[in-house]
Amino acid sequence: LRAWDAADPNHTPSSCSIMQIVGANAKCGCTDANEYSLFTGGSLGVQLPCGMKEYRVTNNGNNTYTISN
């Protein structure tokens, strides 16, 4: 199980930098439409300077998880 930040790391925070889930990928709403793999956090298509920010996931049992940085 992996947890990613929902903001595009290659944009300053704005209304378009929030990413939407598209299948197994995340895509920003800006005009360049950066897209990232939810499996690796890496960019798809064009190589971008930054990949998605990953958070630590701890399994607490009984389908309960803690997400932290």
Side-chain angles (χ1 to χ4, degrees), residues 3-24:
W4 306 101
D5 194 297
D8 186 332
N10 293 290
H11 286 286
T12 55
S14 68
S15 60
C16 76
S17 67
I18 299 169
M19 295 193 282
Q20 301 295 317
I21 305 299
V22 180

Side-chain angles (χ1 to χ4, degrees), residues 9-53:
N10 293 290
H11 286 286
T12 55
S14 68
S15 60
C16 76
S17 67
I18 299 169
M19 295 193 282
Q20 301 295 317
I21 305 299
V22 180
N25 301 331
K27 190 174 187 178
C28 82
C30 300
T31 55
D32 56 9
N34 292 339
E35 194 165 358
Y36 303 85
S37 167
L38 291 174
F39 294 110
T40 66
S43 61
L44 298 171
V46 177
Q47 282 294 96
L48 298 170
C50 301
M52 293 174 70
K53 177 179 171 59

